[in-house]
Amino acid sequence: METEEEKFDALIDADDRIEPTDWMPENYRKTLIRQIAQHAHSEIIGMQPEGNWLTRAPSLRRKAILTAKVQDEAGHGLYLYGAAETLGTDRSELLDLLHAGRQKYSSIFNYPTLTWADIGAIGWLVDGAAIMNQVPLCRCSFGPYARAMVRICKEESFHQRQGFQIMLTLANGTDAQREMAQDALNRWWWPTVMMFGPADADSPHSEQNMRWGIKRISNDDLRQKFIDATVPQAELLGLTIPDPDLHWDEERETYDIGEIDWDEFWTVVGGNGPCNDDRMATKVGAYNEGEWVREAASAYAIKQAARAKEVAA
């Protein structure tokens, strides 16, 4: 008779989905909670740099589009918190861990949005990198996470196109607008390249996550796919990638880039980026200010449950 672990391994080997009611190793469950929580936190924190421009978008149309995008990000966070809850955790517990600094969110959201062009750069580069990273997650071995990613990726594709369209408009505008677009690319390029995480050799969990089907493509391969897709887009925009060592490798048929400043990456991950303190202060402040809403919703739910019980009796 097969043990629970053997059944789990057989599902993984067959590339089938693991569902919340299935037995799973504790480390698999913990890994998923950590990854899904980080993803959910990133969606919620990621609303801040773009929300910074909701009142300053250059037109009513731009404001409406940006508002819709920020709302999408909130929805993505809720999908993901819901997926994490199927693993036996509670979103309030995950938020407590985030607020206490014991869980992380993507380091990319610790950079400031200084001009309107930054909103374009985030959509084009950051959301473009997110799509590259998240499409393989639609085939994640854990069912609820994979299914959440299908809808998220569809919406992220619109965000990426919106960002590229902003950059295209600026790149074909006045000299000042072109300079603004180039400046945004200069500031966001390297942090976006770092979004895929450390090199495979320095990523301690990568091999096990690949074995479990949580991760489908390695950090380095995802980063390379993003670079190969994005460099021609920059050329179409008439903008220059801020990397003097960037060149096309004829033999490998891929772009080679210069040295990544991993010291900067770990500095930001460690909480010392340009906006780390501001992002967390804003997040914790909003959570505390919303306490009365959660209390009212809880009281209403209790009251409705009591009424339903009376009717049933």
Side-chain angles (χ1 to χ4, degrees):
M1 182 178 294
E2 282 187 318
T3 65
E4 295 287 3
E5 187 169 359
E6 288 172 338
K7 291 178 183 177
F8 173 84
D9 288 340
L11 286 172
I12 294 295
D13 291 340
D15 206 18
D16 284 340
R17 291 276 170 81
I18 306 297
E19 298 297 341
T21 54
D22 294 330
W23 182 92
M24 63 187 73
E26 185 61 18
N27 282 341
Y28 177 84
R29 188 183 75 85
K30 288 181 178 179
T31 297
L32 280 168
I33 291 174
R34 181 178 66 248
Q35 179 170 325
I36 297 173
Q38 178 172 328
H39 194 165
H41 298 330
S42 298
E43 297 285 357
I44 299 301
I45 297 291
M47 297 164 65
Q48 291 187 39
E50 292 177 309
N52 182 41
W53 279 88
L54 283 174
T55 60
R56 296 182 289 162
S59 69
L60 180 60
R61 176 175 175 271
R62 292 292 191 191
K63 182 179 292 187
I65 293 171
L66 184 57
T67 299
K69 181 183 179 184
V70 172
Q71 289 176 324
D72 283 348
E73 307 297 358
H76 297 173
L78 296 180
Y79 303 153
L80 293 164
Y81 285 130
E85 286 182 317
T86 68
L87 289 160
T89 189
D90 186 88
R91 72 184 64 189
S92 61
E93 178 185 338
L94 299 179
L95 290 171
D96 286 344
L97 291 171
L98 171 67
H99 298 164
R102 294 170 57 196
Q103 284 187 343
K104 302 291 187 182
Y105 57 89
S106 177
S107 62
I108 193 69
F109 299 119
N110 288 313
Y111 291 87
T113 45
L114 304 179
T115 70
W116 172 249
D118 288 40
I119 303 303
I122 288 176
W124 171 39
L125 298 174
V126 176
D127 292 330
I131 292 169
M132 199 68 69
N133 190 47
Q134 293 171 6
V135 166
L137 291 175
C138 295
R139 297 184 291 111
C140 172
S141 61
F142 185 59
Y145 192 19
R147 289 188 287 271
M149 291 314 307
V150 171
R151 178 166 180 172
I152 289 173
C153 286
K154 288 179 180 178
E155 294 177 350
E156 291 288 5
S157 68
F158 282 100
H159 301 169
Q160 195 271 345
R161 294 174 191 179
Q162 172 230 0
F164 185 82
Q165 199 275 332
I166 290 174
M167 297 297 281
L168 183 63
T169 299
L170 293 173
N172 286 286
T174 64
D175 289 344
Q177 288 172 323
R178 287 186 57 81
E179 290 175 9
M180 187 189 300
Q182 182 63 59
D183 175 65
L185 172 57
N186 292 346
R187 288 183 289 105
W188 286 94
W189 171 255
W190 286 110
T192 304
V193 169
M194 297 177 200
M195 272 181 68
F196 298 96
D200 296 330
D202 299 321
S203 182
H205 305 293
S206 185
E207 184 176 351
Q208 181 61 73
N209 289 350
M210 296 276 282
R211 165 71 185 95
W212 277 333
I214 296 174
K215 191 182 183 88
R216 294 291 182 172
I217 304 176
S218 71
N219 294 352
D220 288 338
D221 287 345
L222 286 170
R223 186 170 12 253
Q224 191 63 60
K225 284 168 63 71
F226 169 76
I227 292 166
D228 290 343
T230 307
V231 171
Q233 295 171 3
E235 292 174 351
L236 178 64
L237 292 171
L239 301 177
T240 303
I241 299 292
D243 179 2
D245 295 323
L246 176 71
H247 66 277
W248 176 256
D249 187 316
E250 292 286 354
E251 184 176 344
R252 295 171 53 238
E253 296 188 342
T254 191
Y255 286 97
D256 287 336
I257 64 171
E259 192 72 22
I260 297 174
D261 184 0
W262 289 114
D263 288 341
E264 177 185 342
F265 174 79
W266 291 116
T267 294
V268 178
V269 170
N272 297 308
C275 298
N276 289 67
D277 292 342
D278 289 343
R279 298 289 184 248
M280 285 308 304
T282 299
K283 175 67 182 68
V284 173
Y287 185 79
N288 291 338
E289 290 172 9
E291 178 65 28
W292 69 272
V293 179
R294 295 190 295 277
E295 290 178 352
S298 178
Y300 179 77
I302 292 172
K303 187 175 181 179
Q304 290 297 98
R307 283 182 178 177
K309 189 175 181 180
E310 289 176 4
V311 170

